[in-house]
């Protein structure tokens, strides 16, 4: 059921957002000569996959367009392709870079990989306006996995746009919150 919803909704979002997707693609190419950033992440059952994002940083510096893309989370749009491919879900724990997990010492941490990583999740909608540690976000992810059901899936999807607007005003730098 969730896989069908992920596929169907992602296709709808890609169609609906295709003018914006194409505009960002063109602007990124014209301004930066690069379009996408690919990074290996850990997905379902610990399997690695290549996450797709619009490029926002080059040589440790934010690109002109990159700050806007990060503040609005539009840099995440290409992950809809990851969802269509079945590597991600619309809702699940965010797929952090592999190097972020080297020093994590949280009980039941591996449960995080018992469901597909998501474009959004409970840790994203529980944003309180300040930067949180990765450990805090992981504990919220584990809570989401424990309580996961179809109602929570739709609640997270429904609440995400409002949180993105809130984060836009808090996140002047474009850095991760």
């Amino acid at each position: 059921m969730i896989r069908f919803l992920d596929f169907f909704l992602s296709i709808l979002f890609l169609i609906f957002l295709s003018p914006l997707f194409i505009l960002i693609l063109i602007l990124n190419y014209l301004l930066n000569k690069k379009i996408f950033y690919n990074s290996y992440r850990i997905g379902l059952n610990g399997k690695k996959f290549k996450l797709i994002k619009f490029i926002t940083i080059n040589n440790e510096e934010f690109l002109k367009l990159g700050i806007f893309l990060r503040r609005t989370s539009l840099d995440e749009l290409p992950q809809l392709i990851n969802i269509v491919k079945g590597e991600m879900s619309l809702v699940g724990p965010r797929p952090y870079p592999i190097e972020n997990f080297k020093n994590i010492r949280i009980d039941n941490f591996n449960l995080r990989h018992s469901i597909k990583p998501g474009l959004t999740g409970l840790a994203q909608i529980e944003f309180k306006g300040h930067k949180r540690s990765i450990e805090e976000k992981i504990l919220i992810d584990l809570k989401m996995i424990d309580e996961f059901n179809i109602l929570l899936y739709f609640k997270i999807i429904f609440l995400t746009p409002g949180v993105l607007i809130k984060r836009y005003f808090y996140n002047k730098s474009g850095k991760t919150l």
Side-chain angles (χ1 to χ4, degrees), residues 28 31-39 41 53-71 75-76 97 99 171 173-176:
N28 237 355
L31 295 172
N32 309 313
K33 302 297 182 240
K34 294 181 183 177
I35 300 169
F36 298 112
Y37 166 77
N38 296 302
S39 172
R41 307 293 171 103
K53 295 174 83 167
F54 283 120
I55 195 161
T56 59
I57 297 177
N58 195 8
N59 298 327
E60 304 300 318
E61 282 189 40
F62 277 97
L63 301 167
K64 294 173 187 175
L65 179 61
I67 294 172
F68 175 77
L69 293 177
R70 293 283 289 269
R71 285 183 68 193
D75 62 321
E76 310 284 348
E99 58 271 8
N171 190 4
S173 70
K175 294 183 180 172
T176 302

Side-chain angles (χ1 to χ4, degrees), residues 17-102:
L17 297 170
S18 62
L20 182 60
F21 194 102
I22 292 167
L23 177 65
I24 294 168
L25 194 139
I26 292 168
L27 286 173
N28 237 355
Y29 182 76
L30 292 174
L31 295 172
N32 309 313
K33 302 297 182 240
K34 294 181 183 177
I35 300 169
F36 298 112
Y37 166 77
N38 296 302
S39 172
Y40 283 99
R41 307 293 171 103
I42 298 176
L44 181 64
N45 299 322
K47 184 179 174 188
K48 286 184 186 179
F49 71 98
K50 192 184 293 187
L51 179 118
I52 310 164
K53 295 174 83 167
F54 283 120
I55 195 161
T56 59
I57 297 177
N58 195 8
N59 298 327
E60 304 300 318
E61 282 189 40
F62 277 97
L63 301 167
K64 294 173 187 175
L65 179 61
I67 294 172
F68 175 77
L69 293 177
R70 293 283 289 269
R71 285 183 68 193
T72 58
S73 294
L74 290 173
D75 62 321
E76 310 284 348
L77 273 180
Q79 290 170 39
L80 291 168
I81 296 166
N82 289 112
I83 296 167
V84 170
K85 290 171 58 179
E87 298 165 330
M88 290 178 65
S89 175
L90 281 172
V91 176
R94 286 294 298 146
Y96 299 117
I98 294 170
E99 58 271 8
N100 286 18
F101 295 126
K102 291 179 182 170

Side-chain angles (χ1 to χ4, degrees), residues 82-132:
N82 289 112
I83 296 167
V84 170
K85 290 171 58 179
E87 298 165 330
M88 290 178 65
S89 175
L90 281 172
V91 176
R94 286 294 298 146
Y96 299 117
I98 294 170
E99 58 271 8
N100 286 18
F101 295 126
K102 291 179 182 170
N103 298 316
I104 301 294
R105 303 286 179 255
I106 294 178
D107 290 341
N108 298 323
F109 172 73
N110 286 333
L111 282 177
R112 208 172 174 281
H113 304 297
S114 64
I115 67 173
K116 289 180 184 176
L119 183 61
T120 187
L122 192 60
Q124 285 64 46
I125 66 162
E126 288 192 359
F127 173 69
K128 303 293 186 223
H130 65 277
K131 186 169 177 63
R132 297 165 295 166

